[in-house]
């Protein structure tokens, strides 16, 4: 059976469990197996550029050693994406890249919910490199840690508040959740906002599934 390996680059198992729940929707008889795992060597949350750089080579080593038909790096900073692609002939997907590309197919302008304000400059640099700044409506931060976004009380209410600001004040027609730890909140957030909400890990796995199934 074909296999897609989804790697959570932080060491918080609660985030990985949230990914498993969010990706259960893809389970079908005969479909590629989707396996989620935690990078034990990673920080508890990837919240700084130092964290991003620190996990790049451990991710590459894990991908080089793994048996899979495609890989997904489940962190919105896409840590180690390019160095990991150099380490395997199999496709490697970053959830930020895939989440934004999916958002572009659902609306003219998208907004991003970040975990903290200090994450936003890092995200903006990435969007600038992708040439997509004209499509960005705005980005607003929860001011929470990765761990809090995954399992903290009040997370959904805070996400709804920031999502409404993106929709009503910034003009976003689509909202991207800017952290893998937010995965479990996608459906209720979309119901509350009335606009498409993109879970970037689901977006990346959907692309990985399509790639594996068509054999490219």
């Amino acid at each position: 059976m074909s296999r897609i390996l989804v790697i959570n680059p932080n060491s918080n198992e609660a985030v990985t469990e949230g990914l498993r729940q969010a990706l259960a929707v893809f389970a079908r008889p005969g479909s590629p197996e989707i396996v989620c795992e935690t990078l034990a060597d990673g920080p508890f949350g990837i919240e700084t550029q130092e964290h991003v750089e620190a996990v790049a080579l451990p991710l590459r080593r894990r991908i080089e050693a793994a048996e899979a038909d495609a890989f997904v790096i489940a962190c919105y900073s896409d840590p180690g994406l390019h160095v990991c692609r150099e380490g395997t002939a199999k496709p490697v997907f970053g959830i930020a890249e895939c989440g934004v590309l999916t958002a572009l197919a659902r609306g003219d302008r998208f907004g991003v919910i970040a975990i903290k304000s200090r994450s936003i400059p890092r995200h903006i640099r990435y969007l600038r490199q992708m040439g997509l700044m004209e499509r960005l409506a705005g980005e607003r931060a929860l001011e929470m840690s990765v761990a809090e976004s995954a399992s903290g009380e009040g997370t959904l209410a805070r996400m709804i508040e920031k999502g409404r600001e993106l929709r009503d004040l910034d003009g976003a027609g689509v909202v991207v959740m800017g952290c893998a730890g937010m995965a479990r909140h996608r459906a209720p957030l979309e119901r509350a906002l009335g606009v498409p909400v993109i879970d970037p890990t689901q977006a990346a796995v959907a692309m990985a599934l399509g790639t594996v199934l068509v054999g490219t």
Side-chain angles (χ1 to χ4, degrees), residues 10 43-52 75 77 115-120 122 144-149 179:
N10 70 51
F44 198 63
I46 296 178
E47 299 175 358
T48 67
Q49 191 65 40
E50 180 182 3
H51 293 154
V52 172
C75 170
S77 293
I115 52 169
K116 293 185 176 181
S117 294
R118 66 181 181 182
S119 302
I120 295 177
R122 187 168 66 251
M144 305 175 80
S145 68
V146 173
E148 288 170 334
S149 74
C179 178

Side-chain angles (χ1 to χ4, degrees), residues 98-214:
C98 295
V100 169
L101 292 176
T102 300
L104 297 179
R106 300 294 305 277
D108 182 55
R109 301 179 73 218
F110 66 93
V112 179
I113 299 177
I115 52 169
K116 293 185 176 181
S117 294
R118 66 181 181 182
S119 302
I120 295 177
R122 187 168 66 251
H123 298 166
I124 294 298
R125 286 197 301 270
Y126 197 17
L127 290 172
R128 189 180 298 118
Q129 291 169 7
M130 295 176 71
L132 296 176
M133 288 299 296
E134 290 185 0
R135 302 285 294 274
L136 175 67
E139 184 157 357
R140 296 190 178 249
L142 301 178
E143 306 301 354
M144 305 175 80
S145 68
V146 173
E148 288 170 334
S149 74
S151 55
E153 294 184 7
T155 301
L156 178 59
R158 186 75 171 149
M159 291 179 69
I160 291 172
E161 175 189 347
K162 294 302 173 181
R164 285 174 175 161
E165 291 175 1
L166 288 167
R167 181 195 65 190
D168 299 338
L169 302 180
D170 300 329
V174 184
V175 171
V176 180
M177 302 191 302
C179 178
M182 300 175 186
R184 69 187 68 204
H185 303 299
R186 192 208 67 80
L189 180 61
E190 185 171 271
R191 287 194 294 270
L193 297 181
V195 299
V197 173
I198 308 300
D199 171 13
T201 306
Q202 288 181 334
V205 169
M207 291 189 188
L209 278 169
T211 300
V212 171
L213 288 172
V214 300

Side-chain angles (χ1 to χ4, degrees), residues 6-13 15-16 19 37-39 59 72 74:
V6 180
I7 307 174
N8 167 25
N10 70 51
S11 56
N12 187 343
E13 181 60 32
V15 172
T16 310
L19 297 177
E37 68 173 43
T38 306
L39 187 69
L59 278 168
V72 172

